[in-house]
Amino acid sequence: MTTAAPFPLRTLAMAALTAALATPALVWSQANRAPAVRADTQVTLNFVNADVEAVTRAMGSMLGKTLVVDPRVKGQMTLYSDQPLRPAEAYAQYLTALRGLGFAVVDAAGLLKVVPEAEAKLLATGVLLDDQRGKGDLIVTQVFSLKHENANNLVAILRPLVNINNTINANPGNNSLVITDYADNLARLAKIIAALDTPAASDVEIVPLQHAVAADLASLVQKLGDGAAAAPGAPGGTGGSTVLPDPRANALILRAANPVRLAALKALVLKLDQPSPDASSPIRVVHLKNADATKLAQVLRAAFSQGGGGGGSNAGPANSPTPAVSAVPTVGSGAGNAGAGGGLGLGSTPGVATSASPSTGGFVQADPATNSLIITAPEPLYRQMRVVIDQLDGRRAQVFVEAMIVKLDTSKSAQFGVQWQNVFGNKGDSTITGAGTNFGAGSSNIITATGAIANGLSGVTTALANSPAPAGLNLGVLKKFGQYYTLGALANFLEQEGGGNILSMPTLVALDNEEAQILVGQNVPFLTGSYAQGTGNSTVNPFQTVERRDVGLILKVKSQIGEGGAIRMVVTQELSSIGSQSAQGPITNKTSVQTTVSVDNNDLLVLGGLMQDEYSDGNSGVPGLSKIPLIGNLFKGENRRRTKSNLMIFLRPIVMRSAEDATTLTLDRYQQIRAVQGDLKPERSLVLPDTGAPLMPAQPAPRGQ
């Protein structure tokens, strides 16, 4: 509850709100509330150590508004004026006095509330937009939309200027500031924001060149204008200025932080734009950033030859020959590449490629060692060539190719058979009769197994070691014949299931319109011939010829990126493995796909596949007897087998047009393989030492370190 001031003091406070000048006095009493004071009426304030709640009620009566006092608002206030004031001025002094006591007034849907200053930012409902302004010490929220400056940068500048109990926040989504504070302070902050939210650079200035070439002069002006060397090809430098060449108009596009700096750059360009000392037969060197100098020299000689599209006297020197450029050695070239398996082979393992020799002849020569062009041409022709060079010497996109080879194999087989043998007769009989059945081959055949058991006197163990028993459940009856044991009956039961799930994901990166190859496998020797020269009973100089072939996974890709995002790809995919052995050597299993497809960036495309389902069965039995129900099972053998094989090949290309794209994809694969390494750490053991396991660093070293 609020404690009322003593009656004399409250009477003095109420009587102090009297009209000045010629207007009649208006007096407030505790029992009778007077009407609101008109806006043109002047009042005099004289509250000395008055209760905050009593002063608030007096102000509400004067303004004709309801002021609600929070129970936490307590204290005494001194508020007076030497000169008569208008009600709005008196209310402003009241708000200032409240602010000094740590309280504030908020407008909550038309209802004025007196609350502690720390709670005002949560209760204020008034919101102002960019051009709207408030007055007084009323707590409101204002949104400032920025056009040039970054909102996060201004938060650090404006935070000290905002009341400690109020807030300032940045919205990066639409680059705006949201500030809750006193209206007078928001008006000050609005002026500061308007002064800081200005363009970072001045207007663009285009400077046509009369003598120099724009592409040659741009980097020099950029370095001199910034006061420090700029990275080659960078659009801007450390000084905040930007210099870009316009090859079509042979002009420089200048932009600086302020008009003074822009004028300095323009003056620098005019000083450097001077005619060449020897313009009759200049020799110029052009350092390329991305293109291959040898290939580009051939293109330029063909484009600007005497009969080419250059035309006129600027087509080149009159007697300039245009010889063909010699082939440039590439990695893996040579006869060793022509292996039968399509791989590189051990004999053709590529070494480090040496630099090509400089191309000779013509007015455009290439220096592969520095990847530069040496141009001997008049000034007009050189300018035409520079326009073409700048257009062709751009950063080429790269394509990350991810192939997925999925192979699923399942097989089921079963066999059943009963075989028996018996001999009829006694010892010493001149004639002995035998009868029985036998099916299958090898140890599955009862006669073959009987011969293995009876082979030698070393016992059954040695005989079975040389001819193992058939797989599955075998039930046999052994019968002694003389001093040997033979199989009298053999029943075999077998059921088998097998499966395989193979996933291979080869990946590689290649430049646009360049071929790339990846090989993961083995280099297997294959016997191709043998020779031995015999002399009598001896052999002289025997030898064999062996050819090595790559067996495994081979992926060759050549990609061409289109303007619309589609990628045309020439793909050769091969998957081979060593199978069974034959008399001539090993048999290889091979799956190969060679096709040309078109696929969008980061889309998945199936290249091909094979779905195979095989079934086979066989029956062996005694005619007639094997057909008898139940009893016929003693006179026959059966087997069944079913094999399913599924093979699918998928392809997904990802275009990397910038260094940031390549870095992002590389770091993603880096963290992926590092996570796999972390899962393969050896478990702790009580008897074995902790040897640890290799693990890549958490983050690759930055470029340049």
Side-chain angles (χ1 to χ4, degrees), residues 254-270:
L254 308 178
R255 189 173 185 178
N258 50 70
V260 176
R261 191 172 186 83
L262 182 62
L265 284 177
K266 184 176 180 181
L268 179 61
V269 171
L270 297 178

Side-chain angles (χ1 to χ4, degrees), residues 135-175:
K135 294 182 180 180
D137 289 327
L138 193 68
I139 297 291
V140 293
T141 300
Q142 186 161 2
V143 179
F144 298 93
S145 299
L146 305 181
K147 299 179 180 178
H148 307 286
E149 185 58 58
N150 189 299
N152 290 319
N153 296 339
L154 290 184
V155 170
I157 299 174
L158 300 178
R159 175 70 265 185
L161 305 179
V162 179
N163 188 281
I164 190 173
N165 292 320
N166 296 326
T167 61
I168 174 172
N169 297 290
N171 180 19
N174 59 358
N175 195 37

